[in-house]
Amino acid sequence: MKGFWKPILIICMVASLAFYQAYQWAAHYYMGRAQNEAKATLGLVVEAVDQAIGRFQPIPTLIASDPAFQQLLGKNGPDGNTPYLNEKLRQIALSIGASEVYLMGLTGQTIATSNYRDEDSFLGRNFSFRPYFSEAISGETSMFHALGTTSGERGFFFSAPVLDGVEIVGVVTVKLPADTIEREWHDLGRDIIMADENGIIFMSSRADFRLRSLAPLSPDVRQNIIATRQFPVNELAPLNVATDAIGQEAVQLKLALNGVPYAYLANSRPLSLAGWHGIVLTPVETVQQQVIRTLLLAGFAAVAAILAILVFWQRRTNALQLMQFERQQREMLEAKVQERTVDLNAANANLQQEVTERRATEDLLRKSQKELVQAGKLAALGQMSAAISHEINQPLGAIKSYAANASEFMARNQLDEARENVDIIGQMTDRITDISHHLRNFARQPGDKLRVIDVAEVIDETLGIVGPQLRSCHAEVRFDRPNAPILALGGKLRLQQVLVNMVTNALEAMSQDPKPLIELGIEEREAEVDIHMRDYGHGVADEILELVFDAFYTTKSSGSGMGLGMSISQNIINDFGGALKVANHPVRGAIFTVTLRKPGFAHPNEALT
Ligand code: ADP
């Protein structure tokens, strides 16, 4: 806002200066123009008055040359022609625009007149007191201006002597009425004054100026006016005009009329009549009004222009501010984006590192898991070792006995019996080979890949592995074996490992049972295959159902259980894309269920090889 007032202040100052200068120019211009117009008007008016006077001047001489009038005024005196001559004068007056034309005899008495018909006709009136009579009777043509004593009308009186041969016999006078000249001034739009040699306003477009004096009259002048009865001298009140020169040909003229002050620009010019002046008055107010009107217009235009400039300036400022604001916003946004990008890059780098670490951890985990699985398997073997060694020792003992027997029979030359014993030895060896074959396979490092396996076959082989254990416990396994292969996805050795764990746990749960029984079944569903294993042991307490598959969870006394078997088993089955679950049989014992996927229903992320 601060920045807004400064230009306004400057603009106001400039505007004031401009206004002052404009006023000067306008006043000068309109004053000049008014004067030019006034001068032109004055020229026309003065010219017209001069012309009118010039036109009337020779007329009395012309009339005087008429023999009829000479005769009338001559020695013979008036005859019967007088009415005719009166009429003739009337016709002349009408034709030249004179108010009166009249003839006076030597004494100044009117003998014939154009206004003979009027009530206040000049006939018989004596005008010897008028200078135009006295001058003409002495042989001069004369001109006189006065207020008519009879008519009360102002006019120019032109007169000439009437000669009868060489003798002056009378005077003819023609009166040019002042108002016929004044009438022409009405439409000029200015006030006109014609002042005589004494400063008396004889004619004016303004009636109230007429017969007023511009300045007080001197006593001589007053005396003369009284003597010639030119004007009623008491009515010639001065206008009390004050003038100031404002140019070479112009003055500023001030006067007060009936208490009202007037100010004019006055231009004056002399007439052909000696001492007379024509004056044109232009009201100063008119000029000032023109100046003010022009200035107002110019002012309005200037204000409009200033407002337009201000609006433009304001808009430009707003636009600049908006642009600046937008630029700042953009820069802020860019800075933010950059900041975020840096953060994001850092986060990305972190994430990348985390991913790398996670991969390494996963690799480690997989490796550990593998090792764990192997360890678990070896642990299972360890658990089974007593039963296995028993299983091997038994035939070995028998082999030893049968070998001794065979040797005895051969010594006795009982070769058939000896062969029988050797055959049995062979069978026993086969059995041991069988066991070791199973165990060797079981101990092998399993592969990672999923294959299509025959679930029934895997169960058969598992039962082969745990055979010694089962026998050492006198356990019975009831396997409802299907004839056809049951195919599922998994790893043979790893599934064997799971099943061995399950059998081992079942036997341990039934360790108190003299005749343990394990039931095995296979259930085929649309996409999956379930392997159920039920025992008749103590089952799993409800509160630990969730914990059975946790690593290192065991209910067995230290030394006999690590708590890893079921945890490893569940991991193995999960790796197959299947599930391992436990439940209690409503009557007795636990039921473990291994669920495997059938081929063709492979998990989308897994490759089948
Ligand atoms: P361990 O056999 O070393 O204890 P496991 O992970 O194999 O470890 O088993 C964990 C626990 O699950 C066992 O301690 C036992 O309490 C329970 N369990 C597993 N199998 C059975 C079963 N067939 N009957 C009852 N309890 C079982």
Side-chain angles (χ1 to χ4, degrees):
M1 239 8 219
K2 221 176 164 188
F4 186 74
W5 288 110
K6 210 171 152 191
I8 286 187
L9 207 68
I10 293 171
I11 286 168
C12 283
M13 281 166 65
V14 170
S16 308
L17 274 173
F19 184 82
Y20 176 74
Q21 193 60 44
Y23 180 82
Q24 298 289 329
W25 284 337
H28 186 259
Y29 170 75
Y30 282 108
M31 212 72 105
R33 206 172 82 163
Q35 283 186 38
N36 285 341
E37 286 171 6
K39 266 194 267 178
T41 307
L42 186 61
L44 289 173
V45 170
V46 167
E47 196 96 329
V49 175
D50 280 344
Q51 270 179 14
I53 290 169
R55 217 175 57 236
F56 266 70
Q57 237 154 6
I59 291 174
T61 313
L62 220 67
I63 298 169
S65 64
D66 189 331
F69 296 121
Q70 292 168 2
Q71 211 176 350
L72 178 71
L73 294 168
K75 286 188 188 102
N76 300 331
D79 58 12
N81 258 351
T82 305
Y84 159 72
L85 291 176
N86 275 337
E87 182 53 27
K88 188 168 181 177
L89 287 175
R90 198 177 79 87
Q91 292 300 329
I92 290 170
L94 277 176
S95 63
I96 62 173
S99 52
E100 285 94 15
V101 181
Y102 49 102
L103 287 171
M104 290 156 286
L106 287 171
T107 57
Q109 192 164 4
T110 307
I111 292 165
T113 178
S114 59
N115 63 356
Y116 69 96
R117 291 183 185 175
D118 300 350
E119 250 174 53
D120 51 354
S121 153
F122 289 177
L123 279 174
R125 287 182 183 269
N126 192 307
F127 294 108
S128 58
F129 57 89
R130 294 291 205 191
Y132 62 79
F133 175 77
S134 48
E135 282 171 19
I137 209 75
S138 61
E140 304 284 327
T141 53
S142 170
M143 197 209 90
F144 184 65
H145 64 284
L147 186 73
T149 49
T150 314
S151 64
E153 299 285 344
R154 286 160 303 128
F156 291 94
F157 299 83
F158 299 90
S159 60
V162 182
L163 296 168
D164 184 12
V166 290
E167 207 177 331
I168 295 172
V169 289
V171 170
V172 58
T173 298
V174 176
K175 185 181 173 187
L176 166 62
D179 56 0
T180 56
I181 299 173
E182 281 170 343
R183 225 172 284 138
E184 306 293 322
W185 302 344
H186 286 317
D187 303 329
L188 294 176
R190 284 179 159 79
D191 292 335
I192 313 287
I193 289 174
M194 293 292 153
D196 67 9
E197 69 278 9
N198 295 320
I200 294 167
I201 300 170
F202 184 62
M203 291 191 289
S204 176
S205 54
R206 283 188 61 156
D208 52 354
F209 281 7
R210 289 171 199 157
L211 298 183
R212 306 290 299 265
S213 63
L214 290 173
L217 300 170
S218 70
D220 285 354
V221 170
R222 287 177 69 86
Q223 199 51 50
N224 192 33
I225 289 170
I226 293 166
T228 57
R229 298 196 214 167
Q230 191 178 14
F231 308 114
V233 79
N234 292 330
E235 291 173 21
L236 298 173
L239 273 178
N240 291 325
V241 168
T243 55
D244 285 325
I246 57 165
Q248 280 185 338
E249 294 163 332
V251 290
Q252 179 154 5
L253 189 146
K254 287 182 187 156
L255 56 90
L257 208 65
N258 303 326
V260 183
Y262 292 92
Y264 291 104
L265 285 176
N267 286 68
S268 75
R269 191 172 145 169
L271 265 73
S272 58
L273 295 171
W276 281 65
H277 276 90
I279 302 171
V280 169
L281 299 175
T282 310
V284 170
E285 208 178 319
T286 315
V287 180
Q288 273 172 347
Q289 276 172 0
Q290 281 175 321
V291 171
I292 286 167
R293 213 177 300 133
T294 307
L295 283 182
L296 275 178
L297 262 176
F300 277 133
V303 167
I306 287 166
L307 279 178
I309 288 169
L310 277 179
V311 167
F312 171 77
W313 188 80
Q314 188 63 34
R315 283 202 179 161
R316 193 170 155 270
T317 311
N318 284 351
L320 283 177
Q321 278 174 350
L322 193 71
M323 269 164 67
Q324 199 179 352
F325 178 72
E326 281 175 356
R327 201 178 56 233
Q328 279 172 354
Q329 292 288 314
R330 222 175 19 247
E331 281 170 5
M332 267 168 62
L333 203 71
E334 273 168 20
K336 251 185 208 166
V337 167
Q338 244 165 16
E339 213 175 287
R340 293 262 164 90
T341 310
V342 169
D343 287 353
L344 215 64
N345 282 345
N348 227 0
N350 270 350
L351 209 67
Q352 202 70 38
Q353 198 177 342
E354 274 173 23
V355 167
T356 315
E357 281 171 11
R358 207 182 133 228
R359 279 210 188 113
T361 313
E362 274 177 358
D363 285 348
L364 195 67
L365 195 69
R366 209 168 293 126
K367 203 168 151 224
S368 308
Q369 228 172 20
K370 231 169 165 183
E371 283 170 5
L372 211 59
V373 168
Q374 189 63 6
K377 199 155 62 178
L378 295 179
L381 277 176
Q383 272 180 316
M384 293 189 292
S385 62
I388 293 164
S389 65
H390 172 76
E391 190 76 353
I392 292 171
N393 281 343
Q394 202 199 5
L396 279 179
I399 286 169
K400 201 177 173 184
S401 309
Y402 282 116
N405 286 347
S407 168
E408 193 62 29
F409 282 130
M410 278 196 293
R412 287 187 207 162
N413 212 13
Q414 290 175 309
L415 290 176
D416 287 341
E417 283 83 356
R419 191 177 295 115
E420 203 176 308
N421 276 290
V422 169
D423 285 348
I424 292 171
I425 289 171
Q427 284 167 15
M428 297 279 176
T429 317
D430 283 348
R431 189 144 170 232
I432 293 170
T433 308
D434 216 28
I435 291 168
S436 98
H437 176 77
H438 279 311
L439 292 175
R440 199 181 64 230
N441 274 346
F442 182 64
R444 250 186 23 223
Q445 194 88 321
D448 285 337
K449 304 275 162 60
L450 291 188
R451 297 170 194 283
V452 177
I453 49 168
D454 179 358
V455 175
E457 191 184 67
V458 176
I459 293 176
D460 284 343
E461 285 170 7
T462 307
L463 292 178
I465 295 163
V466 294
Q469 232 181 329
L470 294 170
R471 281 188 287 279
S472 74
C473 300
H474 312 288
E476 185 193 345
V477 174
R478 288 186 196 151
F479 176 30
D480 187 11
R481 192 188 193 290
N483 291 327
I486 307 289
L487 301 182
L489 289 173
K492 204 163 144 185
L493 288 179
R494 284 177 286 169
L495 182 58
Q496 277 177 13
Q497 185 178 348
V498 173
L499 293 173
V500 166
N501 281 337
M502 282 159 59
V503 170
T504 308
N505 279 338
L507 290 176
E508 277 174 358
M510 299 183 287
S511 57
Q512 304 300 324
D513 201 332
K515 205 72 190 111
L517 174 62
I518 294 172
E519 290 169 354
L520 266 168
I522 298 176
E523 187 188 348
E524 248 192 309
R525 289 185 284 124
E526 191 191 349
E528 288 161 331
V529 176
D530 287 338
I531 304 167
H532 302 289
M533 183 184 290
R534 183 206 165 172
D535 62 47
Y536 286 82
H538 49 68
V540 183
D542 284 346
E543 60 274 17
I544 64 161
L545 272 173
E546 297 290 318
L547 305 172
V548 170
F549 300 105
D550 283 359
F552 302 109
Y553 179 80
T554 179
T555 55
K556 292 164 195 171
S557 55
S558 62
S560 56
M562 285 273 285
L564 284 174
M566 281 302 102
S567 159
I568 292 169
S569 298
Q570 194 174 50
N571 273 330
I572 290 171
I573 301 301
N574 284 348
D575 282 349
F576 294 165
L580 174 58
K581 303 230 168 85
V582 63
N584 281 313
H585 191 279
V587 178
R588 196 178 166 198
I591 304 169
F592 281 81
T593 304
V594 175
T595 304
L596 297 175
R597 287 179 293 128
K598 278 185 171 178
F601 295 92
H603 194 278
N605 288 342
E606 287 169 347
L608 182 63
T609 56

